[in-house]
Amino acid sequence: MTFVAKPKVHHPNLPLNELGLTRRDYEGSVSTLCAGCGHDSVSAAIVQACAELSLPPHRFAKVSGIGCSSKTPSYFLNKSHGFNSVHGRMPSVMTGANLANRELLGIGVSGDGDSASIGLGQFAHIVRRRINMLYLVDNNGTYGLTKGQFSATNDKGSTSKKGAPNLYEPIDLVSMALQIGATFVARSFSGDKTQLVPLIKAALKHKGMAFIDVISPCVAFNNHNGSTKSYEFVREHTQELVNADLIMTHPEVTVDYAEGSREDVSMPDGSTLRLHKLDADYDAHDRVGALNYVQRSQEQGEVVTGLLYVDPDPVECHDIMDTVDQPLNELNEAQLCPGSAALADINASYR
Amino acid sequence: MQVKYNDFVIRFANVNGSGSASANGMFAKALFRMGIPVATRNIFPSNIQGLPTWFEVRVSEQGYLGRREGVDIMVAMNAETLVEDVASVSPGGYLLYDNSKPLAKTLRRDDVNEIGIPIATMMLPEFADPKQRSLFKNITYLGALAGLLNIEFDVITGMVATQYKGKDALIAPNIHALELGRNYALQYLQAPLPLQVRRSDAVGDRIMMDGNDAAGLGAVYGGATVCAWYPITPSTSVAESFENHANRLRVDETSGKKKFAIIQVEDELAAIGVVIGAAWNGARAFTATSGPGISLMSEFLGLAYFAEIPAVVWDIQRSGPSTGMPTRTQQGDLIGAAYASHGDTKHPLLFPATPKECFDFATAALDLADRAQTPILVMSDLELGMNDNLSEPLQWDDAVRYDRGKVLDSEALENSEVFGRYLDVDGDGIGYRTLPGTHPDKGAFFTRGTSRDEFAAYTESPEAYERNMQRLELKWQTIRGLVPAAEIDDQKRRVGVLFFGTTALPMPEALDLLHADGIALDSCRVRAFPFGAEVEAFVQEHDLIFVVEQNRDAQMRTLLINELQTAPAKLVPVLYYAGLSISADTIHQQINEYFTANKLSRISEVQS
């Protein structure tokens, strides 16, 4: 595998965003994942979301762990720094990156092996710390890079490519995220760009811990009959719940969306998050209700997708810690060092 | 009566959780404030309440701060350990005990002076509350010691007044308890004893501080803005100190907000992960841990070595392996820390020996991590970290600037033609890095633990991999010249002694004891790994070198053999690893015996 430079030839008719940039300015290197991999669709959705929001493409911190999913930060936002860290430990690296510079937009990409097995502890603790970031899991229920072992999100009874059934209970990251403090929780499907792109946009605008679990089929090891994370299975069993659409205050990017009841949520940055309620009874501000709904649907074999919960008034880690507005990595010596004068008093206090 | 002044070891035997620490601490502080050098050692169990604990104070007019074998005064306040406590008193020493119950006949020793004080009985009419009776027992024996040893009484009462400022109701009963003890000693005992203290000027302008406190304060001065940690004895107080000092010294005056972030995370893996993430994003970051934490951090340390990310880790060493003796000191993590992680990995280590050096090395480590773009481990230990140590006062030079290393800002990127994160532009093995979000088009790169080329692109090319590993080795050689140099006393003798960290504490005394036996040694206090050229020269130029350390396997000796290709035969291990700090007597004895066994010539023989 070698690094392949992508030709930067722009189609003359590519639309420009508010920054005068096209989607190409938000892309990454050529993917080395298998052809048809759901993860590539997720990367494309991130590209589209960032371009449509006109976010500066160099102001992200992309962090991942290890695995197929964790390779993907190479495949979007090439102008931003990326960090492919160690298995299951994206959350701690992202926590540090966020503490150092609260202004960068954090995108953490992880997988089901990365977040639900080796990194389950780190997943839980970054969620409860409420780091301001998008935490996105490419969830394919299998270990791709080591060729098809079950992961912890794999449903009990679903079979591996060789036909052996999974004997153990699955871990549902969405339920966990709801339970331990995420202020934005959604689930989507990599093949459903109309739903995924607005969710990513809303998550990026959310000031707090935004978690999206994206069912992303593995074409090589988990796309067969018997798998509950195949393209076919998910399409047949998806129950679409609430679509999120971010409507910017700028008129040119306003998009009208699907039918159904709507609710507008004011975002801290002045933009509006519009919820499309496909189920009349669903309340996306009810955390406990969301948890019940997800669990009940799961019992009925349904995959609930959409925006499951959003806290309209979220707090994030820097608020909790009460740190200065200026990024910590920009503070200079004069701001950081108490100097020799203060030390004289300190010495005296130890005599 | 022949009176001996300012030279003894006193040991307090207590039950932990009984409030004795405060009284014992006041004893040491009172002597310190009388200008007498003291060294304190808290020998405590891994437990909160009910187990035996000892507090030892070495009092030395000559300024010897290392542990000395033998106890001159035993304050035996724990019935459970009475047998061993009585046995540990040196012949001619003193045993202070509560004779509310008589001492068992079997415990009595002809060669020890008994000082019985009916403390428990004395408390009965004075304090109604049983909890107060128990607490003030400690203050009462402190008062008795003031009378027995001739401690200036107003120094102690002054300390009580300072300590309970704002809780004035506590001052009077404390002073009353002190007076009870002192009056008893003066009235009923032969006080003062022939072993006494007297005011001195031997302390000078030194301070009394523990190393962890100094490390935390040093991190504030050194510009650390992110601290992530997980509680583990004996390192916890480093993070606590950082937070305490930063809450006072690092708050924005106008907004009242904090110019630092400290986070207690879920484990040591997360702690080092946060540090690496923060440092990758341009903040100065550190964590503090002990041996088990280093084991857990190893994978991340390898990543930071290979991906070249600064990080500072304080390892406050305790007795291993495994959980070992978690509240006892050791220097047992050297090899584990130096080569932490799989593959060809190695990390610079710093070895502070005093609280001042903990303070200085906090900044030095942050500078070095940024300069060398690699994790730096500061190897303190429980002895230095958790005990009040006499130390030179802390100093800061306002003219000194932080060394942030090779970081290209937006302007530098704008003016540069080519940026390759791992290009060795300067020939020192250290590339230029950029911080996330710096420039719209230039300088972004992908950090990874996988192999990559000079431009940070993933590659499995054998040549590119080898080039990278060789550059990392070149960087290692560069680091040899960047780390704090060893302190060397070279009188061109043929035999030397090499030591580091807290092994330095007993060394002046050990060298004096050896000199009295006709053994004069050159000395080298190593302050960092990799070893600088001065250490290499010291090792080469001496025929024989005693390597003094506090672990079983002579780990420093192994590092010297491994890194300097030193002939093993010329490095003689002098070891102590039983959990207390190494004493001058142990060092003296082991080196003396080696001289005798190998018929090495002594000074008098050489001269004659």
Side-chain angles (χ1 to χ4, degrees):
Chain A
M1 207 159 42
T2 49
F3 175 79
V4 182
K6 210 184 246 187
K8 281 277 173 201
V9 184
H10 286 188
H11 190 281
N13 295 332
L14 275 178
L16 300 178
N17 68 10
E18 281 178 72
L19 299 177
L21 302 172
T22 73
R23 266 184 56 179
R24 298 301 308 273
D25 294 305
Y26 292 83
E27 288 179 346
S29 353
V30 174
S31 170
T32 59
L33 298 174
C34 307
C37 178
H39 298 3
D40 285 335
S41 309
V42 178
S43 298
I46 293 172
V47 167
Q48 190 182 332
C50 295
E52 287 179 7
L53 288 175
S54 297
L55 297 167
H58 69 296
R59 299 290 292 172
F60 291 83
K62 306 176 291 177
V63 184
S64 61
I66 292 292
C68 293
S69 62
S70 295
K71 290 176 155 198
T72 67
S74 281
Y75 314 143
F76 57 85
L77 295 169
N78 239 2
K79 292 180 178 177
S80 276
H81 283 60
F83 193 162
N84 190 183
S85 65
V86 291
H87 202 9
R89 317 295 172 209
M90 174 278 281
S92 59
V93 176
M94 180 61 96
T95 298
N98 175 267
L99 295 181
N101 186 350
R102 62 189 298 175
E103 287 180 355
L104 295 183
L105 282 164
I107 299 182
V109 182
S110 182
D112 39 307
D114 208 51
S115 277
S117 285
I118 189 168
L120 189 62
Q122 294 223 336
F123 162 76
H125 285 274
I126 195 171
V127 170
R128 67 182 274 270
R129 284 197 287 269
R130 296 184 157 164
I131 295 294
N132 180 21
M133 67 176 294
L134 162 60
Y135 191 129
L136 194 149
V137 169
D138 288 328
N139 183 357
N140 59 11
T142 190
Y143 284 82
L145 272 181
T146 51
K147 304 198 172 171
Q149 298 78 16
F150 287 125
S151 89
T153 63
N154 209 293
D155 293 312
K156 191 172 167 185
S158 83
T159 59
S160 71
K161 199 171 184 179
K162 288 176 185 167
N166 176 29
L167 303 174
Y168 304 104
E169 296 297 323
I171 286 171
D172 181 29
L173 294 172
V174 157
S175 299
M176 282 189 71
L178 282 167
Q179 201 188 353
I180 54 186
T183 48
F184 180 111
V185 180
R187 176 181 278 142
S188 191
F189 177 54
S190 63
D192 186 359
K193 196 169 265 192
T194 32
Q195 184 192 51
L196 182 56
V197 173
L199 280 175
I200 292 174
K201 286 163 75 173
L204 287 170
K205 283 289 171 186
H206 182 78
K207 188 173 173 280
M209 166 49 68
F211 176 73
I212 308 181
D213 179 37
V214 186
I215 312 292
S216 172
C218 175
V219 290
F221 300 106
N222 207 9
N223 195 32
H224 47 273
N225 289 336
S227 160
T228 56
K229 297 216 166 28
S230 67
Y231 278 108
E232 205 171 329
F233 182 91
V234 179
R235 284 223 170 87
E236 278 174 12
H237 292 78
T238 301
Q239 177 198 350
E240 204 161 318
L241 182 65
V242 180
N243 274 327
D245 182 20
L246 189 72
I247 301 173
M248 300 297 289
T249 44
H250 280 273
E252 62 268 28
V253 289
T254 303
V255 190
D256 199 6
Y257 219 65
E259 295 174 11
S261 66
R262 290 175 181 174
E263 187 185 12
D264 288 347
V265 184
S266 294
M267 303 293 281
D269 66 346
S271 57
T272 304
L273 180 65
R274 176 168 292 181
L275 305 179
H276 287 210
K277 291 195 170 182
L278 296 182
D279 183 324
D281 298 333
Y282 194 77
D283 173 8
H285 293 166
D286 177 4
R287 194 176 60 85
V288 178
L291 196 51
N292 273 333
Y293 200 93
V294 170
Q295 299 273 301
R296 208 168 296 283
S297 304
Q298 196 168 298
E299 221 169 56
Q300 290 158 3
E302 298 288 340
V303 182
V304 186
T305 67
L307 179 56
L308 297 156
Y309 172 68
V310 63
D311 184 341
D313 190 19
V315 287
E316 59 122 331
C317 196
H318 280 280
D319 301 331
I320 298 167
M321 290 183 155
D322 201 24
T323 45
V324 288
D325 297 339
Q326 193 181 0
L328 294 177
N329 69 355
E330 287 178 7
L331 300 176
N332 59 33
E333 271 140 335
Q335 293 166 295
L336 295 174
C337 184
S340 61
L343 204 51
D345 289 341
I346 292 170
N347 276 322
S349 72
Y350 289 97
R351 288 201 177 104
Chain B
M1 183 176 70
Q2 181 80 29
V3 180
K4 203 170 154 194
Y5 293 102
N6 297 353
D7 184 16
F8 58 88
V9 171
I10 181 168
R11 183 181 265 210
F12 301 84
N14 303 96
V15 178
N16 79 328
S18 69
S20 57
S22 145
N24 299 346
M26 275 164 65
F27 173 85
K29 197 71 177 267
L31 269 50
F32 165 75
R33 288 197 174 163
M34 287 174 65
I36 308 160
V38 290
T40 69
R41 288 183 177 82
N42 196 3
I43 303 151
F44 59 103
S46 180
N47 177 270
I48 300 302
Q49 195 180 30
L51 286 186
T53 178
W54 292 270
F55 185 75
E56 196 174 282
V57 183
R58 170 90 193 264
V59 181
S60 166
E61 177 78 22
Q62 282 163 289
Y64 292 147
L65 301 177
R67 195 170 65 82
R68 203 203 69 191
E69 302 289 346
V71 175
D72 302 306
I73 306 167
M74 169 63 74
V75 181
M77 292 294 142
N78 185 358
E80 253 185 75
T81 59
L82 201 53
V83 176
E84 58 174 299
D85 290 338
V86 172
S88 68
V89 182
S90 298
Y94 297 85
L95 172 73
L96 192 159
Y97 70 105
D98 188 343
N99 66 356
S100 302
K101 277 185 194 164
L103 196 62
K105 273 186 185 161
T106 49
L107 288 177
R108 309 196 91 136
R109 279 175 57 184
D110 293 341
D111 58 346
V112 165
N113 305 293
E114 286 174 13
I115 306 171
I117 305 177
I119 302 177
T121 313
M122 285 161 68
M123 294 299 99
L124 285 173
E126 303 291 339
F127 303 103
D129 177 13
K131 198 178 160 196
Q132 278 201 337
R133 277 182 201 148
S134 165
L135 278 175
F136 286 121
K137 271 162 82 170
N138 304 314
I139 301 295
T140 303
Y141 72 63
L142 178 60
L145 284 170
L148 289 165
L149 300 174
N150 219 2
I151 304 172
E152 292 175 16
F153 200 57
D154 56 348
V155 172
I156 302 187
T157 53
M159 273 170 21
V160 170
T162 330
Q163 189 164 338
Y164 298 109
K165 207 174 177 180
K167 301 176 196 164
D168 291 1
L170 288 171
I171 295 177
N174 268 286
I175 298 219
H176 179 56
L178 282 171
E179 281 170 345
L180 277 175
R182 181 165 178 261
N183 291 341
Y184 187 92
L186 296 179
Q187 211 172 334
Y188 300 108
L189 304 170
Q190 288 188 322
L193 303 174
L195 212 57
Q196 291 175 29
V197 298
R198 67 177 170 199
R199 189 163 276 278
S200 165
D201 56 5
V203 164
D205 66 347
R206 281 184 283 183
I207 59 171
M208 201 153 100
M209 191 180 197
D210 69 62
N212 286 356
D213 197 1
L217 179 64
V220 175
Y221 269 78
T225 51
V226 175
C227 170
W229 65 290
Y230 186 73
I232 180 170
T233 304
S235 74
T236 306
S237 52
V238 176
E240 287 171 346
S241 159
F242 176 74
E243 185 166 27
N244 288 341
H245 291 297
N247 276 333
R248 214 160 28 84
L249 301 166
R250 276 275 195 84
V251 175
D252 185 62
E253 280 177 18
T254 42
S255 68
K257 292 184 172 186
K258 293 173 182 178
K259 292 183 281 185
F260 67 98
I262 180 164
I263 189 156
Q264 182 192 322
V265 290
E266 61 270 26
D267 54 29
E268 287 89 348
L269 288 82
I272 187 67
V274 170
V275 168
I276 287 169
W280 170 74
N281 209 358
R284 298 193 124 184
F286 77 101
T287 184
T289 189
S290 193
I294 297 294
S295 297
L296 286 171
M297 291 178 185
S298 291
E299 185 187 24
F300 255 130
L301 288 170
L303 171 80
Y305 169 80
F306 195 52
E308 299 180 65
I309 301 164
V312 170
V313 179
W314 282 79
D315 179 3
I316 315 301
Q317 296 166 94
R318 64 190 213 185
S319 300
S322 189
T323 310
M325 291 198 287
T327 56
R328 297 289 189 270
T329 198
Q330 207 169 69
Q331 296 176 312
D333 296 348
L334 301 196
I335 290 176
Y339 303 117
S341 207
H342 53 273
D344 290 325
T345 309
K346 43 193 174 182
H347 313 288
L349 314 176
L350 304 184
F351 305 108
T354 64
K356 179 175 186 300
E357 216 160 45
C358 288
F359 179 80
D360 293 341
F361 281 7
T363 301
L366 290 162
D367 279 352
L368 190 58
D370 272 347
R371 170 58 48 186
Q373 301 170 3
T374 203
I376 308 297
L377 292 98
V378 190
M379 309 299 287
S380 177
D381 57 22
L382 184 145
E383 159 84 348
L384 173 59
M386 287 189 73
N387 291 314
D388 270 341
N389 280 266
L390 211 55
S391 170
E392 294 302 316
L394 310 179
Q395 286 179 326
W396 185 262
D397 180 355
D398 291 320
V400 170
R401 298 274 80 96
Y402 299 150
D403 180 2
R404 297 309 313 268
K406 299 184 187 181
V407 181
L408 297 177
D409 60 13
S410 181
E411 198 187 338
L413 280 168
E414 195 61 51
N415 296 328
S416 69
E417 293 284 309
V418 182
F419 169 70
R421 168 66 184 92
Y422 300 106
L423 270 180
D424 186 8
V425 179
D426 302 326
D428 58 1
I430 304 169
Y432 284 80
R433 66 182 187 129
T434 56
L435 304 181
T438 300
H439 191 281
D441 296 306
K442 293 180 166 181
F445 68 96
F446 207 73
T447 302
R448 57 179 100 236
T450 44
S451 53
R452 74 276 149 147
D453 66 12
E454 286 79 354
F455 296 89
Y458 179 80
T459 178
E460 290 170 9
S461 145
E463 294 78 19
Y465 175 82
E466 221 170 50
R467 275 202 311 277
N468 186 50
M469 292 304 284
Q470 283 163 358
R471 183 183 54 77
L472 286 169
E473 180 54 33
L474 174 63
K475 175 161 103 173
W476 186 251
Q477 296 306 320
T478 300
I479 293 169
R480 290 184 71 197
L482 296 174
V483 295
E487 280 184 353
I488 290 174
D489 174 28
D490 192 349
Q491 309 287 330
K492 305 295 169 200
R493 300 168 177 122
R494 289 166 63 191
V495 184
V497 61
L498 184 147
F499 52 94
F500 59 97
T502 53
T503 306
L505 289 180
M507 200 50 72
E509 186 178 8
L511 289 174
D512 286 351
L513 290 169
L514 286 164
H515 204 266
D517 287 340
I519 298 172
L521 303 174
D522 285 346
S523 71
C524 173
R525 179 165 77 90
V526 169
R527 300 203 300 163
F529 172 82
F531 308 112
E534 77 287 357
V535 178
E536 189 166 21
F538 184 88
V539 170
Q540 273 172 3
E541 287 161 14
H542 289 85
D543 297 340
L544 191 74
I545 294 166
F546 294 98
V547 183
V548 189
E549 51 189 315
Q550 300 178 64
N551 57 66
R552 184 194 66 183
D553 292 347
Q555 297 186 26
M556 174 60 80
R557 179 174 174 270
T558 301
L559 291 179
L560 289 163
I561 293 166
N562 193 36
E563 298 286 324
L564 299 178
Q565 281 77 51
T566 312
K570 77 187 249 181
L571 299 178
V572 180
V574 174
L575 306 173
Y576 173 85
Y577 50 93
L580 305 175
S581 52
I582 190 169
S583 68
D585 312 83
T586 303
I587 300 166
H588 169 224
Q589 187 192 340
Q590 290 189 39
I591 293 178
N592 199 21
E593 279 173 6
Y594 187 90
F595 263 71
T596 305
N598 292 278
K599 301 189 172 61
L600 298 181
S601 63
R602 302 188 182 226
I603 298 172
S604 52
E605 298 162 28
V606 173
Q607 282 169 344
S608 59

